[in-house]
Amino acid sequence: MARTPEQRLSVAAEWRTIRRLYPIYAAIAREFQLGDPPCESLNEVNERSEPDAFQRIGQWLAEMDQRIEAHHFRQLLQTSDLASSEDKMHTLVDRYLNKEHRTEFDRDKIDFLLIQYFAVCAPPSFHDREVDLEEVAEVLEPILGECPTSLPEWLRPLEQLIADMQRCRTLADLERHRIIERGRELKAAAGGRYFDSIALLAFTRFNYLLRCACFRLVDNDLRAIEAGLWELGARSVYFVDCTSVQLSPQEPLSNLFQLCLNLRKPLILDYSTGRSFDLLMGLRTIIERALAPEAATDGAGEAAAPDLQRRLERMKEEMAGLRVLLEQALTHGKPGLAASLTPAPPQAAAPPDSQAKPRVSPALSSKATVSPAATPSPAPLPPPSARPSNAAKVAPSPPSTVSVEIEHIKELLSVSGSKGRSSVSLAVGPTTKLLLTTAEVNAFLKGGDEAGVALQRAVAARFLLVATLENSKRTGEKPDLKPLLQSARDESANLSPLIVQAEKSGQTSLAEALSFTHRQLLAIINQVENRKG
């Protein structure tokens, strides 16, 4: 039976909507495991299967409307080109605006989709300045139609909120003025009025200006943090106590440089909570405290006192363990064992050149311990199985070559059980860890090709420099850094042509991985050179 002109028009409109929405919804379903789409591709739909396919796809899209949340749209649309055209964004917004019964979750989705529509459709000049309500109305006219730009009384607080937001200079200012929270409170108080054209217009402008302000403030804070890290390096401070942001008590500056680089990646702003920027704000506070005059008096930064306290606590634990073993030995009538376990007087106060302090050649492996001959005792030591696990060990010195360190890192990765699916923190010393990106971990686990070997050698060179600095701080020794620096420069030079080659061949991910490792190596080289100067 032939379709009427009206039916053909309806089918064409339905197919147009499906073509615009289906790829977006299918990508969200796969990315967030929200269920399998009804078909792999719309190319599977033909004239015979069309009626059934339309019904199945339409029902599936309606079900997905209930499953998809605002953060799903936010993560996918801000990091891909799936909805980078006006027609796709228009169809998405219309779908939620035209719902008969809209919920709070629909409001959150519309809230984001309108900002994204404006970001996609606004002229480039609008992105470099504060846009007014009339300009936003022009961009949103295809969706909202013509609407007045005079704000009703209940929306006037938005103007004060925008004025307060523009005065913020840091993310901490944004939090102190409760900009995000106050905006969310206004939306909640609007109730059903939120869906009025003038309200949608006003909140879209506020949301867009808030997004721009957040990008600006994140950049300001990152610049301040990076400048502070360079200043700490110039003061020969290489480790900072970052426990307040759930990092280590002696976090290497190179790790913090890497963290800043990660935070400079495209930002996915989530206004559902006001705590999106805690890490960045906390890190800036830490660096500013470390730069304060009182924090730099001993050249070791604010980590010095906490580090000393931790060492004292570890000494107490070891002494308690030795006392237990001593009592057990005396109880079982083993005076020789008791004598060997009697702790010697503490040597913490001994000067750096004291003969009582055991030393290990830097050429030895990081697993090196004091041999029995180097630690005399009144009686022969018990067999290894009977010795206490906390027997005195010399602080490990780092391996002296890149090749040795590569094998050491491989061993650490095998112990950690990493399979290369994510970044890994590896211990460089008793209190220091360094981060390996996923690409770096894979280079050690898979290796093989030229790029993998280059990544291995660059990471090993960076580990050697950080380990040497930590060992020097812990022992008071002043090692010859020239060979390590030259080796690190050589590995840095080896990476440069590989980065260019990867970029020319279109291997974007590889180029980014190599560039990231290259920057990290250069950062620690600069720190060491500043220390030498």
Side-chain angles (χ1 to χ4, degrees), residues 17-133:
T17 298
I18 288 174
R19 283 191 297 109
R20 292 173 180 175
L21 295 183
Y22 189 81
I24 300 171
Y25 280 50
I28 290 176
R30 295 188 185 101
E31 178 71 20
F32 301 101
Q33 300 180 350
L34 300 180
D36 295 328
C39 59
E40 189 66 26
S41 168
L42 292 179
N43 293 331
E44 297 176 9
V45 180
N46 54 42
E47 183 178 0
R48 181 178 302 175
S49 64
E50 181 183 294
D52 179 60
F54 274 30
Q55 182 178 359
R56 287 188 297 110
I57 292 174
Q59 183 178 350
W60 180 77
L61 290 174
E63 291 172 358
M64 287 296 293
D65 284 333
Q66 305 302 316
R67 297 174 191 169
I68 292 176
E69 298 181 21
H71 72 89
H72 294 140
F73 280 132
R74 185 176 293 112
Q75 286 189 251
L76 196 72
L77 301 190
Q78 283 190 260
T79 57
S80 72
D81 295 328
L82 274 171
S84 57
S85 63
E86 180 175 352
D87 58 350
K88 289 182 178 179
M89 286 304 308
H90 195 156
T91 303
L92 259 177
V93 176
D94 275 349
R95 185 172 182 85
Y96 285 97
L97 279 179
N98 294 330
K99 286 186 68 174
E100 185 176 354
H101 301 291
R102 293 181 293 245
T103 66
E104 180 182 344
F105 300 107
D106 294 324
R107 184 200 70 196
D108 292 340
K109 285 182 253 189
I110 293 170
D111 205 44
F112 166 74
L113 291 173
L114 281 172
I115 313 171
Q116 193 66 16
Y117 178 90
F118 183 86
V120 167
C121 302
S125 60
F126 282 24
H127 301 303
D128 297 326
R129 59 181 173 79
E130 180 180 340
V131 290
D132 58 34
L133 206 58

Side-chain angles (χ1 to χ4, degrees), residues 87-390:
D87 58 350
K88 289 182 178 179
M89 286 304 308
H90 195 156
T91 303
L92 259 177
V93 176
D94 275 349
R95 185 172 182 85
Y96 285 97
L97 279 179
N98 294 330
K99 286 186 68 174
E100 185 176 354
H101 301 291
R102 293 181 293 245
T103 66
E104 180 182 344
F105 300 107
D106 294 324
R107 184 200 70 196
D108 292 340
K109 285 182 253 189
I110 293 170
D111 205 44
F112 166 74
L113 291 173
L114 281 172
I115 313 171
Q116 193 66 16
Y117 178 90
F118 183 86
V120 167
C121 302
S125 60
F126 282 24
H127 301 303
D128 297 326
R129 59 181 173 79
E130 180 180 340
V131 290
D132 58 34
L133 206 58
E134 288 74 14
E135 290 170 325
V136 178
E138 286 184 44
V139 177
L140 296 187
E141 185 176 354
I143 289 178
L144 302 181
E146 291 188 15
C147 63
T149 56
S150 176
L151 292 179
E153 191 64 31
W154 70 275
L155 283 173
R156 293 286 172 82
L158 274 178
E159 293 301 307
Q160 182 60 50
L161 201 51
I162 291 171
D164 292 344
M165 176 174 61
Q166 300 296 16
R167 286 194 291 269
C168 295
R169 295 293 174 265
T170 66
L171 288 174
D173 292 341
L174 198 72
E175 183 176 78
R176 184 164 53 254
H177 289 289
R178 298 183 62 252
I179 302 298
I180 295 174
E181 289 85 347
R182 288 160 61 192
R184 195 167 63 243
E185 289 166 2
L186 279 173
K187 292 173 192 175
R193 293 183 298 178
Y194 171 85
F195 299 100
D196 295 344
S197 295
I198 184 60
L200 292 172
L201 180 64
F203 280 116
T204 299
R205 177 174 180 253
F206 166 73
N207 289 333
Y208 182 72
L209 293 177
L210 177 59
R211 177 189 285 193
C212 294
C214 287
F215 285 134
R216 170 175 58 85
L217 299 178
V218 165
D219 184 65
N220 288 349
D221 278 6
L222 282 171
R223 287 176 183 272
I225 292 168
E226 288 167 347
L229 293 174
W230 285 114
E231 177 61 25
L232 288 174
R235 294 182 187 181
S236 298
V237 177
Y238 302 106
F239 305 92
V240 183
D241 185 352
C242 293
T243 50
S244 62
V245 291
Q246 286 74 54
L247 297 176
S248 73
Q250 289 198 61
E251 195 70 29
L253 296 196
S254 58
N255 276 10
L256 299 179
F257 272 112
Q258 181 171 331
L259 183 58
C260 288
L261 289 170
N262 285 338
L263 292 172
R264 282 198 179 279
K265 293 179 179 179
L267 209 60
I268 301 174
L269 299 177
D270 185 354
Y271 304 127
S272 60
T273 70
R275 314 300 297 175
S276 303
F277 308 114
D278 282 356
L279 174 61
L280 199 51
M281 291 188 292
L283 193 55
R284 180 166 185 173
T285 300
I286 288 168
I287 300 304
E288 288 175 347
R289 287 176 181 170
L291 287 169
E294 61 271 16
T297 54
D298 62 356
E302 64 176 15
D307 180 52
L308 179 59
Q309 182 62 35
R310 282 188 296 274
R311 293 186 184 188
L312 289 173
E313 290 173 357
R314 283 198 299 271
M315 288 174 63
K316 290 178 182 178
E317 292 174 359
E318 291 178 3
M319 291 291 288
L322 289 171
R323 287 194 188 97
V324 171
L325 289 169
L326 178 61
E327 292 172 359
Q328 292 175 350
L330 292 173
T331 301
H332 292 84
K334 298 180 179 179
L337 175 60
S340 69
L341 293 174
T342 302
Q347 300 295 322
D353 57 351
S354 171
Q355 295 298 318
K357 184 178 182 179
R359 306 174 79 90
V360 175
S361 167
L364 293 179
S365 162
S366 61
K367 297 180 180 179
T369 58
V370 183
S371 64
T375 313
S377 60
L381 287 172
S385 60
R387 296 177 195 169
S389 59
N390 288 324

Side-chain angles (χ1 to χ4, degrees), residues 330-449:
L330 292 173
T331 301
H332 292 84
K334 298 180 179 179
L337 175 60
S340 69
L341 293 174
T342 302
Q347 300 295 322
D353 57 351
S354 171
Q355 295 298 318
K357 184 178 182 179
R359 306 174 79 90
V360 175
S361 167
L364 293 179
S365 162
S366 61
K367 297 180 180 179
T369 58
V370 183
S371 64
T375 313
S377 60
L381 287 172
S385 60
R387 296 177 195 169
S389 59
N390 288 324
K393 294 182 180 180
V394 173
S397 295
S400 57
T401 67
V402 167
S403 298
V404 173
E405 182 67 357
I406 287 174
E407 296 307 314
H408 180 221
I409 294 173
K410 287 181 179 178
E411 183 179 348
L412 291 175
L413 288 172
S414 67
V415 172
S416 70
S418 173
K419 297 182 179 179
R421 290 174 295 186
S422 60
S423 58
V424 173
S425 292
L426 295 182
V428 180
T431 57
T432 304
K433 292 184 177 181
L434 281 185
L435 295 176
L436 267 67
T437 64
T438 303
E440 290 169 343
V441 173
N442 285 329
F444 282 96
L445 296 180
K446 299 175 183 177
D449 61 0

